[in-house]
Amino acid sequence: MTDSAREELTRLPAADLADLLRSKEVSSVEVTRAHLDRIAAVDGDVHAFLHVSDAALATAAKVDAARIDGADLSPLAGVPVAIKDVLCTTDMPSTAASRILEGWIPPYDATVVRRLRDADLVPLGKTNMDEFAMGSSTEHSAFGVTRNPWDLERIPGGSGGGSAAAVAAFEAPVALGSDTGGSIRQPAAVTGTVGFKPTYGGVSRFGVIALASSLDQVGPVARTVLDAALVHDVIGGHDPHDSTSLPDAWPSFADAARAGRTGETLRGLRVGVIRELDGEGFQAGVRTRFSEALDLLARAGAEIVEVSAPHFEYAIAAYYLILPAEASSNLAKYDSVRFGLRVTPPGGGTVEDVMAATREAGFGDEVKRRIILGTYALSAGYYDAYYGSAQKVRTLIQRDFTAAFEAADVLVSPAAPTTAFRFGEKLDDPLAMYLNDVTTIPANLAGVPGLALPIGLAPEDGLPVGLQLMAPARADARLYTVGAAIEQLLEDVWGGPLLAKAPALPGGMLAAEEGAL
Amino acid sequence: MSEITPEVVRHLAGLARIALTEEEVARFTGELSHIVDAVAKVNEVATPDVPATSHPIPLANVFRPDVVGETLDRAAVLAGAPEHDGSRFRVSAILGEEQ
């Protein structure tokens, strides 16, 4: 196989790679090597990965051997996958991009990682993120920023900027992310990729380095809706190790996505446009593409209705009380005793002094800010006014969703208020950074599923714009069907995937070709 | 306006076991004041008649059979520790001289 033929493999969706692997036209070793070569070529610029696995080729060879032996393999067997560094892996460091966990190798795999391995996917490495998933730009990683493949001077979103950039830069066909307030969907929006936050409890969090336990959810990151669905089928479902895991039986999300690509899925679909998530604070080009997407839906027979969610304007405030409160509790475990960093202050001290010195040295600014804010919100005398009130807002937001879903089958909004911004633009203003999640946070507070997919480039800057779709809790399959239908309509208009329009990366073999597209 | 003062930040950092520098105390005092003022907005609508929601999709009575499940090997657990003696985590003194 020539170098350029190998790099062509990195352009294929996971579903197509799976077909080639199943028919033995390519081997998993070839596919895996192609992605490792691509990582070697472009990741110096992109920095999507914190760690690249040295076991990937051996894993791929085992899958190839099993296939030659005639083993009954899962649909994605032999397909490479990138894993957000918030997930525990026994064969790779798991740091959540924090100094306090630098080099830490967990004694067990996250359930979702175990399920990837059981389905014979090939882990390529661990992807960069905001430290402990706190951020919207990946600038809060302790190990350096990830760059947006569309413009290396801009952020890839966060916290899962590494996973989104890895699939956008063709370093991996699919990846795992985690979404507490938008960390899968907002990076998808600003990198022109697809990200899915499942219903709360739909995917196990066992072995996920916890941020805010009433909000965290693991989900797929991909370049197509079908690929996201295929990964969701692998990682989803009940896990007795996670007491918040839903015992439901789930339909095949891949079948749901395939159903969207055939026929008249959108005809008669009631699409609710959330009045509060379109207007002030939204970039002009984002609104342009969003309104075009609504026109496209209407032409395909969908019924566009306006819905109101009057309490969404309180969502960010509630979120930035609930999240810090839960995080301050979850992050108490980084105590310099059982794992991770230990820093002894000059002259020694008690275990408490060591703990405080360790946490001062091991946590970044944003983590410290949120722990202190959470400690405040949970303090005696303030609990009712802050944490308690935020939980009431949560009820009001759930009621808004319930009312909206009486009028609409799916809700839509821009997936992020702006396109990718430049490094440093919002770093000195935590509140401005928090506003990036205005569109995505309500779904986490209510536990409903959300899908982000690309709908074009903003005219003013040529950067990707994403659409967010939301459905009632447990109706994840509906989002895959509707998302795949919209994707198909848009690709018919564009003549191919949006990522074909991305500029060439300096190290890529296909640089000349990419530039021509 | 919020009640975030440098003394409050120092106290909270102590509770959270983070040895902030004075520069950080000063910076966080300003930043947290802004954030607390912004998030206090929840009180505009969190009236007494609204019940609180702690979990988006509540599950009740999640039990498992009372049998020994998977456990981790001691060596595997100690492998990640900053310091251990082969069977236990090793830490510095629990109590200071004044205690």
Side-chain angles (χ1 to χ4, degrees):
Chain A
M1 186 172 280
T2 65
D3 287 351
S4 70
R6 199 184 284 160
E7 184 154 318
E8 290 285 356
L9 288 176
T10 64
R11 297 258 148 183
L12 296 178
D16 294 11
L17 288 172
D19 288 342
L20 292 175
L21 288 161
R22 200 173 304 118
S23 61
K24 302 197 182 78
E25 285 171 67
V26 295
S27 69
S28 177
V29 167
E30 284 168 330
V31 172
T32 302
R33 182 168 288 141
H35 286 93
L36 292 172
D37 287 352
R38 176 74 181 171
I39 292 169
V42 304
D43 208 51
D45 288 313
V46 177
H47 192 234
F49 285 87
L50 293 178
H51 180 89
V52 178
S53 172
D54 51 17
L57 286 173
T59 306
K62 267 189 216 159
V63 182
D64 287 337
R67 198 184 298 279
I68 287 164
D69 282 350
D72 184 21
L73 298 174
S74 85
L76 290 182
V79 173
V81 59
I83 298 171
K84 189 179 182 183
D85 205 36
V86 76
L87 298 167
C88 285
T89 48
T90 53
D91 56 348
M92 293 182 274
S94 305
T95 70
S98 179
R99 292 262 173 235
I100 213 158
L101 283 174
E102 191 167 3
W104 181 60
I105 307 225
Y108 60 95
D109 273 331
T111 296
V112 289
V113 170
R114 173 53 41 209
R115 288 183 178 173
L116 291 179
R117 296 194 208 274
D118 289 347
D120 287 311
L121 279 89
V122 179
L124 288 172
K126 304 298 287 290
T127 57
N128 200 12
M129 53 186 286
D130 286 294
E131 183 178 4
F132 287 110
M134 296 184 192
S136 307
S137 67
T138 314
E139 290 168 290
H140 292 306
S141 168
F143 306 116
V145 299
T146 295
R147 295 174 181 277
N148 190 322
W150 287 82
D151 178 348
L152 296 174
E153 298 308 311
R154 290 175 189 262
I155 58 104
S159 70
S163 284
V167 299
F170 302 98
E171 297 174 89
V174 288
L176 294 189
S178 66
D179 191 312
T180 304
S183 289
I184 289 174
R185 291 162 288 156
Q186 182 259 3
V190 300
T191 58
T193 58
V194 173
F196 195 100
K197 183 201 90 73
T199 293
Y200 181 82
V203 176
S204 165
R205 290 103 51 82
F206 179 73
V208 182
I209 296 173
L211 171 54
S213 303
S214 76
L215 302 163
D216 296 345
Q217 188 55 207
V218 175
V221 173
R223 290 192 295 265
T224 71
V225 173
L226 175 59
D227 281 4
L230 284 161
V231 172
H232 194 162
D233 281 338
V234 172
I235 61 173
H238 183 245
D239 176 14
H241 283 123
D242 175 358
S243 60
T244 62
S245 170
L246 297 174
D248 302 46
W250 299 91
S252 161
F253 298 122
D255 286 350
R258 288 190 191 100
R261 309 208 80 158
T262 58
E264 302 271 286
T265 326
L266 299 174
R267 189 157 300 280
L269 182 81
R270 296 174 306 158
V271 175
V273 180
I274 304 160
R275 189 186 306 152
E276 288 78 7
L277 293 183
D278 184 21
E280 203 190 329
F282 286 73
Q283 189 179 320
V286 169
R287 297 190 67 194
T288 303
R289 293 297 174 241
F290 178 62
S291 119
E292 289 170 0
L294 295 178
D295 292 344
L296 190 72
L297 281 162
R299 283 200 302 277
E303 184 193 336
I304 311 293
V305 296
E306 192 182 79
V307 298
S308 177
H311 298 97
F312 278 22
E313 69 165 295
Y314 300 93
I316 288 186
Y319 178 83
Y320 280 100
L321 286 163
I322 291 169
L323 180 140
E326 295 184 6
S328 71
S329 165
N330 276 327
L331 271 62
K333 67 169 79 72
Y334 305 105
D335 58 6
S336 79
V337 173
R338 292 158 299 167
F339 41 72
L341 185 72
R342 175 180 291 182
V343 173
T344 306
T350 64
V351 69
E352 207 172 292
D353 299 328
V354 174
M355 220 175 271
T358 299
R359 290 161 66 84
E360 164 64 12
F363 288 145
D365 265 4
E366 182 63 16
V367 176
K368 291 176 189 170
R369 250 192 308 268
R370 293 201 197 182
I371 289 176
I372 291 170
L373 179 60
T375 307
Y376 178 69
L378 292 177
S379 304
Y382 294 100
Y383 181 96
D384 287 342
Y386 291 118
Y387 190 62
S389 295
Q391 290 191 321
K392 291 183 172 196
V393 170
R394 199 165 186 167
T395 307
L396 295 170
I397 284 168
Q398 285 195 332
R399 288 176 182 172
D400 283 358
F401 270 112
T402 304
F405 284 127
E406 277 168 19
D409 302 308
V410 295
L411 300 178
V412 292
S413 76
T418 68
T419 57
F421 47 90
R422 290 176 199 284
F423 290 111
E425 220 170 90
K426 301 184 181 185
L427 209 47
D428 296 330
D429 185 351
L431 271 175
M433 188 72 94
Y434 296 171
L435 290 174
N436 294 315
D437 297 330
V438 64
T439 50
T440 47
I441 280 173
N444 298 85
L445 290 171
V448 304
L451 166 65
L453 75 163
I455 51 170
L457 303 176
E460 63 268 40
D461 55 21
L463 292 166
V465 175
L467 174 74
Q468 175 178 231
L469 294 165
M470 291 177 283
R474 298 180 162 92
D476 302 48
R478 186 185 304 171
L479 293 184
Y480 283 115
T481 303
V482 174
I486 297 172
E487 179 183 60
Q488 172 125 325
L489 287 177
L490 287 165
E491 291 191 357
D492 287 348
V493 173
W494 298 330
L498 188 69
L499 272 167
K501 298 178 201 282
L505 288 167
M509 297 268 312
L510 298 176
E513 225 174 297
E514 287 169 16
L517 280 168
Chain B
M1 284 301 291
S2 78
E3 302 160 33
I4 305 288
T5 63
E7 290 67 38
V8 169
V9 171
R10 265 184 226 108
H11 173 67
L12 294 167
L15 293 174
R17 305 287 187 269
I18 303 174
L20 292 184
T21 64
E22 277 308 302
E23 181 275 322
E24 286 175 312
V25 170
R27 191 154 43 83
F28 288 161
T29 302
E31 289 170 349
L32 291 168
S33 296
H34 284 300
I35 296 170
V36 168
D37 288 344
V39 297
K41 185 180 166 79
V42 292
N43 288 309
E44 292 172 18
V45 286
T47 47
D49 55 310
V50 180
T53 295
S54 68
H55 243 66
I57 300 178
L59 295 173
N61 299 340
V62 177
F63 293 128
R64 65 169 177 82
D66 186 16
V67 293
V68 178
E70 295 164 49
T71 58
L72 289 169
D73 178 74
R74 181 161 59 189
V77 173
L78 290 172
E83 205 181 344
H84 64 84
D85 72 354
S87 62
R88 292 163 296 182
F89 299 111
R90 194 193 292 273
V91 296
S92 45
I94 301 288
L95 300 177
E97 282 175 13
E98 74 281 13
Q99 290 161 305

